[in-house]
Amino acid sequence: MSTTPNHQALVVGASRGLGLVLADELARRGWHVIATTRRNGDELQAHAEARKGLLEVESLEMTSSGQLAALRERLELRLEDSRLDLLFVNAAIDRGDLPIGEVPTEMFTEVMVTNALSPLRVLEALRGLVAPGGTVAVMSSEQGSISRNTEDGYELYKASKAALNQLMRSYTTRHADDGHTKLLIDPGHNRTQLGGPDAPLSPKESIPAVVDVLEAQAGAPGLQFLDLHGETVPW
C-alpha cells in the first residue's frame, strides 16, 4: 500500500485503545481515514482535529444493523466515485475470566455477537466499498488459535476469537474471487482496557508494526492469520 493521501481507510471501532492508535497511525502516514465510534466527544475527535482533515469521525454501534445500513449510505455519498483501500474492523469485549459452565447465557450471547458475528456483518455490509486489490482486515488474537490454547482461562473470549477466525475463513471461501486481500491480525498482548495494565506491549509500540504488515501484505491472495511481525499464527 502506498501512503499517499489518495489512499483511504475505514477503521471500525476506534474510540480507544488499539483502534484509536490504528486510525491515528494511518493518518500520520498520510492516509485519509474514516474512523467510527459509538459516542461523540471522545478522544477520537481530539485526534481528528489534530490531523486536520486526514482523520474523520463517523458514528456506529457495530451491533446495530440499522446503524450499519445508515453508515453505508453515508459512506456511499461521501466516497462518491472513490473506494476504500483498507477496511479494518477492530472491536472486541471481554466479560471476565469465568469457566464456560459459569457463563450466563446473556453474557455468552453478548460476547459472541460483538466479537464474532458483528465484525462479519460489517464486512458483508461494507465490502462493496473496498477497491479491487484493497484489503479487508479484522483484529483477532492469538487467543483465538485453537492449537495454542494450552493454558486455562478466559474461555469465552478465546471461543469468540476462534469463532471469528472460523467465520472469516467462511467469508473468504464465499468471496474468494473478489480480489481483496484478507487478513486476521494478532496485535500481541497490549496494555488496553481489554489487555490489562500488566501487558508487555503498548498500542503505540504494536500498532506501527501492524500497519507495516498491512502495507506489506497489500495485494496478497487468500486469507492469512498474522501477528504484528508478519509471522503466521497457527489456527
Side-chain angles (χ1 to χ4, degrees):
M1 292 180 193
S2 168
T3 54
T4 68
N6 294 325
H7 278 67
Q8 299 192 86
L10 172 63
V11 179
V12 174
S15 61
R16 63 174 187 259
L18 295 170
L20 175 64
V21 179
L22 174 62
D24 192 64
E25 175 66 15
L26 288 165
R28 187 189 69 80
R29 297 189 188 201
W31 285 68
H32 175 243
V33 182
I34 303 167
T36 75
T37 177
R38 291 181 295 170
R39 53 192 177 275
N40 295 324
D42 59 15
E43 191 176 355
L44 177 61
Q45 188 60 51
H47 282 257
E49 293 170 1
R51 290 300 176 191
K52 302 185 184 304
L54 283 177
L55 177 56
E56 299 182 47
V57 179
E58 274 284 358
S59 176
L60 176 67
E61 168 52 66
M62 188 181 67
T63 61
S64 168
S65 57
Q67 288 193 28
L68 184 56
L71 175 65
R72 182 188 169 98
E73 291 181 3
R74 295 196 302 272
L75 290 176
E76 286 175 337
L77 293 173
R78 175 180 288 190
L79 295 171
E80 295 181 346
D81 296 329
S82 63
R83 284 291 181 264
L84 298 169
D85 299 285
L86 172 65
L87 168 58
F88 197 108
V89 182
N90 168 73
I93 60 173
D94 174 34
R95 291 296 181 255
D97 186 13
L98 291 175
I100 196 64
E102 298 177 14
V103 172
T105 301
E106 295 78 8
M107 181 187 293
F108 183 88
T109 301
E110 179 191 21
V111 172
M112 284 294 184
V113 167
T114 302
N115 292 6
L117 177 61
S118 294
L120 270 296
R121 282 180 169 171
V122 171
L123 297 190
E124 294 288 6
L126 303 181
R127 58 182 298 275
L129 301 177
V130 180
T135 297
V136 171
V138 182
M139 196 74 84
S140 186
S141 170
E142 181 188 34
Q143 293 198 65
S145 169
I146 292 175
S147 62
R148 287 188 176 177
N149 185 11
T150 58
E151 298 180 1
D152 62 8
Y154 295 93
E155 296 175 27
L156 176 54
Y157 181 77
K158 290 176 179 177
S160 72
K161 287 299 188 178
L164 170 69
N165 294 351
Q166 184 74 294
L167 290 172
M168 190 64 177
R169 293 201 76 164
S170 296
Y171 173 92
T172 299
T173 299
R174 282 187 291 105
H175 300 302
D177 299 324
D178 64 5
H180 293 159
T181 295
K182 301 173 184 71
L183 299 171
L184 288 160
I185 297 293
D186 164 32
H189 189 188
N190 283 264
R191 292 188 295 277
T192 63
Q193 185 174 6
L194 190 68
D198 298 324
L201 295 171
S202 74
K204 290 186 178 180
E205 294 169 327
S206 62
I207 288 301
V210 167
V211 176
D212 288 343
V213 172
L214 295 173
E215 292 178 343
Q217 293 299 323
L223 171 66
Q224 297 180 83
F225 185 11
L226 302 175
D227 67 14
L228 71 164
H229 306 296
E231 300 296 325
T232 299
V233 182
W235 298 99

